[in-house]
Every structure is written in C-alpha cells, then in structure tokens.
Amino acid sequence: MRKSMMVVMASMLLTVPFKVFAADDVVVPGKLIKVDYTLTVDNKQVETSIGKEPLQFVLGAKAIIPGLEKGITGMHVGEEKMVTVEPADGYGQPDPKAVKEFPKTSMPKGMELKQGLVLQANAPDGNSFPAVIKEVKDSTVLLDFNHPLAGKQLQFKVKIVGVETAPAAKPAAQKS
C-alpha cells in the first residue's frame, strides 16, 4: 500500500507543469530591464505604460526609486506582481523648507494662478523640476518644490517584459 501511494504521488508530480527560467531572464543589478507598469496612489491611477513603450532602465543605476528596484529584483520575464513602495523608499516625506513664497510679478505673465497648478521651474544648472502652487495670496504665490508624490504610498502593478544585457557605459571624457 505504501509503495503504491508513492508511485501515485510520483506520477502526480510528473504531471504538474514546472516553469523553467533561464538565468538571463532574471531581474538583477546591471541588467537592462523592460517593465510594463501601472502606478496607483490613493486608489487613483497616476500613470501607466500599458499601450505605450515599456519603461526601460538599468537596475542598480538609480534611474528609478529604490523601493521599486527592490520590489522587482529577482523577478523573471513574464512575471507579474504588485509592489508597494512606502515614502521612505519612494519620494520621501515632504520637506517644509521646500515651500517658498514668491511675488506674483515673478510668475509667467498672463498665467491664471490657481492652487494645485503644476509649474515647471528651472534651476541655475538648467535642470527643470515641478513646483505646485500651494496658495495664491494678494501679491504672492506659495510654491511647493517637494515632489508631488512625496509622502505618498505608491502601488505599482508590474510585469517584467524584458531582461537584457545592459549596453556598455560610455567612458567619461578626459580633461586635458
């Protein structure tokens, strides 16, 4: 009886399909990753790559937030899952020092200034970043330079659609 049970169990195991992953299909640092994703914040869809080109980045190059990197590491091509990213591993907590007051005269002429409007500000180095109008006063505007997703828990639905060898990094230009 015991021997026949073992034979039955062994035959059952042989009929269970096993997915075999190639080592090259694993999300690991240094690989070029292609991922379809949908980002949800406060039960609202914020953005998605579905129907567009997948998001591409080299894992470990700090091109995406740390919590998403951690959440997809070890996944395989074709695998899907939900990744929850807390503020500490996303865009951090809002910094009260990042809220600044500016005269209305420094705002773009002809623009209707209203709370919640997102402006593109330019840093002296040429980089641009978002600034949200937090409050409009009589002669000034309060701008919030925190990332709009600071302090938020992020929900990513992800599907790994590609893992490739990353292109070689270009050598830095040498100074003469």
Side-chain angles (χ1 to χ4, degrees), residues 51-80:
K52 305 174 194 168
E53 289 294 314
L55 176 64
Q56 293 186 54
F57 55 92
V58 175
L59 191 73
K62 299 183 179 178
I64 62 170
I65 57 175
L68 186 54
E69 278 200 351
K70 287 179 204 171
I72 66 170
T73 298
M75 289 180 68
H76 300 273
V77 172
E79 190 175 350
E80 295 181 51

PDB file of all heavy atoms in Angstrom, residues 51-80:
ATOM      1  N   GLY A  51      -0.046  50.052 -23.256  1.00  0.00           N
ATOM      2  CA  GLY A  51      -0.407  50.665 -24.534  1.00  0.00           C
ATOM      3  C   GLY A  51       0.661  51.601 -25.060  1.00  0.00           C
ATOM      4  O   GLY A  51       0.488  52.233 -26.099  1.00  0.00           O
ATOM      5  N   LYS A  52       1.759  51.708 -24.343  1.00  0.00           N
ATOM      6  CA  LYS A  52       2.894  52.546 -24.744  1.00  0.00           C
ATOM      7  C   LYS A  52       4.148  51.676 -24.710  1.00  0.00           C
ATOM      8  O   LYS A  52       4.069  50.473 -24.500  1.00  0.00           O
ATOM      9  CB  LYS A  52       3.070  53.718 -23.770  1.00  0.00           C
ATOM     10  CG  LYS A  52       1.845  54.578 -23.562  1.00  0.00           C
ATOM     11  CD  LYS A  52       2.101  55.591 -22.471  1.00  0.00           C
ATOM     12  CE  LYS A  52       0.804  56.238 -22.013  1.00  0.00           C
ATOM     13  NZ  LYS A  52       0.985  57.000 -20.787  1.00  0.00           N
ATOM     14  N   GLU A  53       5.279  52.310 -24.864  1.00  0.00           N
ATOM     15  CA  GLU A  53       6.546  51.597 -24.730  1.00  0.00           C
ATOM     16  C   GLU A  53       6.773  51.252 -23.263  1.00  0.00           C
ATOM     17  O   GLU A  53       6.469  52.052 -22.384  1.00  0.00           O
ATOM     18  CB  GLU A  53       7.713  52.462 -25.224  1.00  0.00           C
ATOM     19  CG  GLU A  53       7.746  52.659 -26.727  1.00  0.00           C
ATOM     20  CD  GLU A  53       8.015  51.365 -27.471  1.00  0.00           C
ATOM     21  OE1 GLU A  53       8.927  50.613 -27.080  1.00  0.00           O
ATOM     22  OE2 GLU A  53       7.288  51.112 -28.451  1.00  0.00           O
ATOM     23  N   PRO A  54       7.320  50.066 -22.982  1.00  0.00           N
ATOM     24  CA  PRO A  54       7.618  49.743 -21.582  1.00  0.00           C
ATOM     25  C   PRO A  54       8.697  50.672 -21.024  1.00  0.00           C
ATOM     26  O   PRO A  54       9.500  51.228 -21.767  1.00  0.00           O
ATOM     27  CB  PRO A  54       8.140  48.303 -21.623  1.00  0.00           C
ATOM     28  CG  PRO A  54       8.067  47.846 -23.028  1.00  0.00           C
ATOM     29  CD  PRO A  54       7.670  48.999 -23.888  1.00  0.00           C
ATOM     30  N   LEU A  55       8.683  50.835 -19.718  1.00  0.00           N
ATOM     31  CA  LEU A  55       9.726  51.588 -19.032  1.00  0.00           C
ATOM     32  C   LEU A  55      11.018  50.777 -19.121  1.00  0.00           C
ATOM     33  O   LEU A  55      11.008  49.570 -18.889  1.00  0.00           O
ATOM     34  CB  LEU A  55       9.327  51.783 -17.565  1.00  0.00           C
ATOM     35  CG  LEU A  55      10.333  52.460 -16.653  1.00  0.00           C
ATOM     36  CD1 LEU A  55      10.578  53.899 -17.087  1.00  0.00           C
ATOM     37  CD2 LEU A  55       9.847  52.414 -15.212  1.00  0.00           C
ATOM     38  N   GLN A  56      12.129  51.441 -19.491  1.00  0.00           N
ATOM     39  CA  GLN A  56      13.425  50.772 -19.604  1.00  0.00           C
ATOM     40  C   GLN A  56      14.439  51.462 -18.716  1.00  0.00           C
ATOM     41  O   GLN A  56      14.496  52.689 -18.682  1.00  0.00           O
ATOM     42  CB  GLN A  56      13.950  50.837 -21.041  1.00  0.00           C
ATOM     43  CG  GLN A  56      13.146  50.060 -22.035  1.00  0.00           C
ATOM     44  CD  GLN A  56      13.825  50.052 -23.396  1.00  0.00           C
ATOM     45  OE1 GLN A  56      14.981  49.683 -23.507  1.00  0.00           O
ATOM     46  NE2 GLN A  56      13.107  50.473 -24.412  1.00  0.00           N
ATOM     47  N   PHE A  57      15.243  50.677 -18.021  1.00  0.00           N
ATOM     48  CA  PHE A  57      16.280  51.221 -17.154  1.00  0.00           C
ATOM     49  C   PHE A  57      17.265  50.114 -16.813  1.00  0.00           C
ATOM     50  O   PHE A  57      16.957  48.930 -16.952  1.00  0.00           O
ATOM     51  CB  PHE A  57      15.669  51.786 -15.863  1.00  0.00           C
ATOM     52  CG  PHE A  57      14.834  50.783 -15.129  1.00  0.00           C
ATOM     53  CD1 PHE A  57      15.376  49.974 -14.149  1.00  0.00           C
ATOM     54  CD2 PHE A  57      13.491  50.637 -15.440  1.00  0.00           C
ATOM     55  CE1 PHE A  57      14.612  49.029 -13.503  1.00  0.00           C
ATOM     56  CE2 PHE A  57      12.708  49.694 -14.790  1.00  0.00           C
ATOM     57  CZ  PHE A  57      13.278  48.883 -13.817  1.00  0.00           C
ATOM     58  N   VAL A  58      18.447  50.512 -16.374  1.00  0.00           N
ATOM     59  CA  VAL A  58      19.436  49.555 -15.895  1.00  0.00           C
ATOM     60  C   VAL A  58      19.244  49.443 -14.385  1.00  0.00           C
ATOM     61  O   VAL A  58      19.328  50.444 -13.672  1.00  0.00           O
ATOM     62  CB  VAL A  58      20.871  49.995 -16.247  1.00  0.00           C
ATOM     63  CG1 VAL A  58      21.892  49.038 -15.629  1.00  0.00           C
ATOM     64  CG2 VAL A  58      21.052  50.078 -17.758  1.00  0.00           C
ATOM     65  N   LEU A  59      18.960  48.244 -13.911  1.00  0.00           N
ATOM     66  CA  LEU A  59      18.735  48.028 -12.486  1.00  0.00           C
ATOM     67  C   LEU A  59      20.024  48.299 -11.717  1.00  0.00           C
ATOM     68  O   LEU A  59      21.085  47.807 -12.080  1.00  0.00           O
ATOM     69  CB  LEU A  59      18.264  46.594 -12.214  1.00  0.00           C
ATOM     70  CG  LEU A  59      17.755  46.353 -10.794  1.00  0.00           C
ATOM     71  CD1 LEU A  59      16.393  47.009 -10.608  1.00  0.00           C
ATOM     72  CD2 LEU A  59      17.656  44.879 -10.486  1.00  0.00           C
ATOM     73  N   GLY A  60      19.920  49.133 -10.692  1.00  0.00           N
ATOM     74  CA  GLY A  60      21.067  49.485  -9.874  1.00  0.00           C
ATOM     75  C   GLY A  60      21.708  50.796 -10.269  1.00  0.00           C
ATOM     76  O   GLY A  60      22.605  51.281  -9.581  1.00  0.00           O
ATOM     77  N   ALA A  61      21.251  51.401 -11.355  1.00  0.00           N
ATOM     78  CA  ALA A  61      21.828  52.671 -11.826  1.00  0.00           C
ATOM     79  C   ALA A  61      21.115  53.875 -11.215  1.00  0.00           C
ATOM     80  O   ALA A  61      21.365  55.006 -11.615  1.00  0.00           O
ATOM     81  CB  ALA A  61      21.778  52.740 -13.354  1.00  0.00           C
ATOM     82  N   LYS A  62      20.223  53.630 -10.270  1.00  0.00           N
ATOM     83  CA  LYS A  62      19.472  54.678  -9.586  1.00  0.00           C
ATOM     84  C   LYS A  62      18.615  55.514 -10.542  1.00  0.00           C
ATOM     85  O   LYS A  62      18.423  56.701 -10.340  1.00  0.00           O
ATOM     86  CB  LYS A  62      20.394  55.561  -8.752  1.00  0.00           C
ATOM     87  CG  LYS A  62      21.103  54.775  -7.674  1.00  0.00           C
ATOM     88  CD  LYS A  62      21.959  55.630  -6.800  1.00  0.00           C
ATOM     89  CE  LYS A  62      22.603  54.745  -5.737  1.00  0.00           C
ATOM     90  NZ  LYS A  62      23.474  55.428  -4.862  1.00  0.00           N
ATOM     91  N   ALA A  63      18.092  54.858 -11.579  1.00  0.00           N
ATOM     92  CA  ALA A  63      17.227  55.536 -12.539  1.00  0.00           C
ATOM     93  C   ALA A  63      15.772  55.519 -12.087  1.00  0.00           C
ATOM     94  O   ALA A  63      14.964  56.291 -12.600  1.00  0.00           O
ATOM     95  CB  ALA A  63      17.350  54.859 -13.909  1.00  0.00           C
ATOM     96  N   ILE A  64      15.448  54.622 -11.152  1.00  0.00           N
ATOM     97  CA  ILE A  64      14.087  54.557 -10.600  1.00  0.00           C
ATOM     98  C   ILE A  64      14.192  54.585  -9.075  1.00  0.00           C
ATOM     99  O   ILE A  64      15.275  54.434  -8.517  1.00  0.00           O
ATOM    100  CB  ILE A  64      13.318  53.306 -11.085  1.00  0.00           C
ATOM    101  CG1 ILE A  64      14.008  52.017 -10.616  1.00  0.00           C
ATOM    102  CG2 ILE A  64      13.139  53.326 -12.590  1.00  0.00           C
ATOM    103  CD1 ILE A  64      13.195  50.762 -10.848  1.00  0.00           C
ATOM    104  N   ILE A  65      13.054  54.754  -8.416  1.00  0.00           N
ATOM    105  CA  ILE A  65      13.061  54.849  -6.957  1.00  0.00           C
ATOM    106  C   ILE A  65      13.511  53.515  -6.339  1.00  0.00           C
ATOM    107  O   ILE A  65      13.247  52.442  -6.891  1.00  0.00           O
ATOM    108  CB  ILE A  65      11.685  55.284  -6.418  1.00  0.00           C
ATOM    109  CG1 ILE A  65      10.582  54.335  -6.881  1.00  0.00           C
ATOM    110  CG2 ILE A  65      11.377  56.721  -6.800  1.00  0.00           C
ATOM    111  CD1 ILE A  65       9.223  54.621  -6.288  1.00  0.00           C
ATOM    112  N   PRO A  66      14.196  53.587  -5.192  1.00  0.00           N
ATOM    113  CA  PRO A  66      14.747  52.381  -4.573  1.00  0.00           C
ATOM    114  C   PRO A  66      13.712  51.303  -4.248  1.00  0.00           C
ATOM    115  O   PRO A  66      13.981  50.106  -4.418  1.00  0.00           O
ATOM    116  CB  PRO A  66      15.388  52.894  -3.279  1.00  0.00           C
ATOM    117  CG  PRO A  66      15.565  54.352  -3.462  1.00  0.00           C
ATOM    118  CD  PRO A  66      14.536  54.796  -4.445  1.00  0.00           C
ATOM    119  N   GLY A  67      12.537  51.687  -3.809  1.00  0.00           N
ATOM    120  CA  GLY A  67      11.523  50.697  -3.449  1.00  0.00           C
ATOM    121  C   GLY A  67      11.056  49.871  -4.630  1.00  0.00           C
ATOM    122  O   GLY A  67      10.773  48.675  -4.482  1.00  0.00           O
ATOM    123  N   LEU A  68      10.980  50.472  -5.805  1.00  0.00           N
ATOM    124  CA  LEU A  68      10.588  49.720  -6.997  1.00  0.00           C
ATOM    125  C   LEU A  68      11.723  48.798  -7.417  1.00  0.00           C
ATOM    126  O   LEU A  68      11.493  47.652  -7.797  1.00  0.00           O
ATOM    127  CB  LEU A  68      10.181  50.660  -8.129  1.00  0.00           C
ATOM    128  CG  LEU A  68       9.616  49.990  -9.384  1.00  0.00           C
ATOM    129  CD1 LEU A  68       8.438  49.073  -9.052  1.00  0.00           C
ATOM    130  CD2 LEU A  68       9.207  51.034 -10.410  1.00  0.00           C
ATOM    131  N   GLU A  69      12.960  49.284  -7.339  1.00  0.00           N
ATOM    132  CA  GLU A  69      14.112  48.422  -7.641  1.00  0.00           C
ATOM    133  C   GLU A  69      14.103  47.183  -6.754  1.00  0.00           C
ATOM    134  O   GLU A  69      14.246  46.063  -7.242  1.00  0.00           O
ATOM    135  CB  GLU A  69      15.440  49.170  -7.457  1.00  0.00           C
ATOM    136  CG  GLU A  69      15.833  50.011  -8.628  1.00  0.00           C
ATOM    137  CD  GLU A  69      17.325  50.354  -8.652  1.00  0.00           C
ATOM    138  OE1 GLU A  69      18.054  50.080  -7.669  1.00  0.00           O
ATOM    139  OE2 GLU A  69      17.758  50.894  -9.680  1.00  0.00           O
ATOM    140  N   LYS A  70      13.934  47.398  -5.450  1.00  0.00           N
ATOM    141  CA  LYS A  70      13.906  46.266  -4.504  1.00  0.00           C
ATOM    142  C   LYS A  70      12.756  45.319  -4.836  1.00  0.00           C
ATOM    143  O   LYS A  70      12.911  44.101  -4.777  1.00  0.00           O
ATOM    144  CB  LYS A  70      13.729  46.771  -3.069  1.00  0.00           C
ATOM    145  CG  LYS A  70      14.931  47.433  -2.484  1.00  0.00           C
ATOM    146  CD  LYS A  70      14.613  47.904  -1.060  1.00  0.00           C
ATOM    147  CE  LYS A  70      15.507  49.029  -0.621  1.00  0.00           C
ATOM    148  NZ  LYS A  70      15.081  49.625   0.649  1.00  0.00           N
ATOM    149  N   GLY A  71      11.610  45.886  -5.161  1.00  0.00           N
ATOM    150  CA  GLY A  71      10.415  45.080  -5.391  1.00  0.00           C
ATOM    151  C   GLY A  71      10.475  44.191  -6.614  1.00  0.00           C
ATOM    152  O   GLY A  71       9.825  43.144  -6.645  1.00  0.00           O
ATOM    153  N   ILE A  72      11.235  44.589  -7.627  1.00  0.00           N
ATOM    154  CA  ILE A  72      11.290  43.770  -8.849  1.00  0.00           C
ATOM    155  C   ILE A  72      12.532  42.896  -8.931  1.00  0.00           C
ATOM    156  O   ILE A  72      12.592  41.993  -9.762  1.00  0.00           O
ATOM    157  CB  ILE A  72      11.171  44.632 -10.125  1.00  0.00           C
ATOM    158  CG1 ILE A  72      12.372  45.543 -10.291  1.00  0.00           C
ATOM    159  CG2 ILE A  72       9.856  45.391 -10.136  1.00  0.00           C
ATOM    160  CD1 ILE A  72      12.437  46.237 -11.642  1.00  0.00           C
ATOM    161  N   THR A  73      13.512  43.143  -8.065  1.00  0.00           N
ATOM    162  CA  THR A  73      14.735  42.335  -8.095  1.00  0.00           C
ATOM    163  C   THR A  73      14.383  40.869  -7.854  1.00  0.00           C
ATOM    164  O   THR A  73      13.637  40.544  -6.940  1.00  0.00           O
ATOM    165  CB  THR A  73      15.752  42.830  -7.040  1.00  0.00           C
ATOM    166  OG1 THR A  73      16.107  44.176  -7.375  1.00  0.00           O
ATOM    167  CG2 THR A  73      17.006  41.981  -7.017  1.00  0.00           C
ATOM    168  N   GLY A  74      14.901  40.017  -8.707  1.00  0.00           N
ATOM    169  CA  GLY A  74      14.646  38.580  -8.604  1.00  0.00           C
ATOM    170  C   GLY A  74      13.466  38.100  -9.425  1.00  0.00           C
ATOM    171  O   GLY A  74      13.262  36.895  -9.572  1.00  0.00           O
ATOM    172  N   MET A  75      12.673  39.026  -9.975  1.00  0.00           N
ATOM    173  CA  MET A  75      11.551  38.618 -10.820  1.00  0.00           C
ATOM    174  C   MET A  75      12.082  38.080 -12.142  1.00  0.00           C
ATOM    175  O   MET A  75      13.253  38.255 -12.475  1.00  0.00           O
ATOM    176  CB  MET A  75      10.600  39.802 -11.067  1.00  0.00           C
ATOM    177  CG  MET A  75       9.807  40.223  -9.847  1.00  0.00           C
ATOM    178  SD  MET A  75       8.678  41.636 -10.176  1.00  0.00           S
ATOM    179  CE  MET A  75       7.471  40.872 -11.280  1.00  0.00           C
ATOM    180  N   HIS A  76      11.209  37.407 -12.887  1.00  0.00           N
ATOM    181  CA  HIS A  76      11.566  36.811 -14.165  1.00  0.00           C
ATOM    182  C   HIS A  76      10.711  37.397 -15.280  1.00  0.00           C
ATOM    183  O   HIS A  76       9.620  37.904 -15.021  1.00  0.00           O
ATOM    184  CB  HIS A  76      11.325  35.297 -14.117  1.00  0.00           C
ATOM    185  CG  HIS A  76      12.115  34.613 -13.061  1.00  0.00           C
ATOM    186  ND1 HIS A  76      13.397  34.166 -13.257  1.00  0.00           N
ATOM    187  CD2 HIS A  76      11.820  34.307 -11.766  1.00  0.00           C
ATOM    188  CE1 HIS A  76      13.849  33.606 -12.146  1.00  0.00           C
ATOM    189  NE2 HIS A  76      12.919  33.687 -11.226  1.00  0.00           N
ATOM    190  N   VAL A  77      11.182  37.286 -16.516  1.00  0.00           N
ATOM    191  CA  VAL A  77      10.410  37.750 -17.670  1.00  0.00           C
ATOM    192  C   VAL A  77       9.053  37.053 -17.668  1.00  0.00           C
ATOM    193  O   VAL A  77       8.960  35.845 -17.463  1.00  0.00           O
ATOM    194  CB  VAL A  77      11.168  37.469 -18.987  1.00  0.00           C
ATOM    195  CG1 VAL A  77      10.286  37.777 -20.193  1.00  0.00           C
ATOM    196  CG2 VAL A  77      12.442  38.284 -19.054  1.00  0.00           C
ATOM    197  N   GLY A  78       8.004  37.852 -17.835  1.00  0.00           N
ATOM    198  CA  GLY A  78       6.640  37.333 -17.852  1.00  0.00           C
ATOM    199  C   GLY A  78       5.962  37.358 -16.498  1.00  0.00           C
ATOM    200  O   GLY A  78       4.749  37.233 -16.409  1.00  0.00           O
ATOM    201  N   GLU A  79       6.733  37.527 -15.438  1.00  0.00           N
ATOM    202  CA  GLU A  79       6.168  37.535 -14.087  1.00  0.00           C
ATOM    203  C   GLU A  79       5.484  38.871 -13.809  1.00  0.00           C
ATOM    204  O   GLU A  79       5.959  39.919 -14.226  1.00  0.00           O
ATOM    205  CB  GLU A  79       7.281  37.289 -13.066  1.00  0.00           C
ATOM    206  CG  GLU A  79       6.801  37.041 -11.666  1.00  0.00           C
ATOM    207  CD  GLU A  79       7.918  36.672 -10.701  1.00  0.00           C
ATOM    208  OE1 GLU A  79       9.059  36.418 -11.124  1.00  0.00           O
ATOM    209  OE2 GLU A  79       7.630  36.655  -9.499  1.00  0.00           O
ATOM    210  N   GLU A  80       4.365  38.809 -13.080  1.00  0.00           N
ATOM    211  CA  GLU A  80       3.609  39.995 -12.688  1.00  0.00           C
ATOM    212  C   GLU A  80       3.443  40.006 -11.180  1.00  0.00           C
ATOM    213  O   GLU A  80       3.327  38.944 -10.562  1.00  0.00           O
ATOM    214  CB  GLU A  80       2.206  39.982 -13.302  1.00  0.00           C
ATOM    215  CG  GLU A  80       2.170  40.071 -14.796  1.00  0.00           C
ATOM    216  CD  GLU A  80       0.736  40.085 -15.332  1.00  0.00           C
ATOM    217  OE1 GLU A  80      -0.076  40.902 -14.844  1.00  0.00           O
ATOM    218  OE2 GLU A  80       0.446  39.278 -16.226  1.00  0.00           O
TER     219      GLU A  80
END
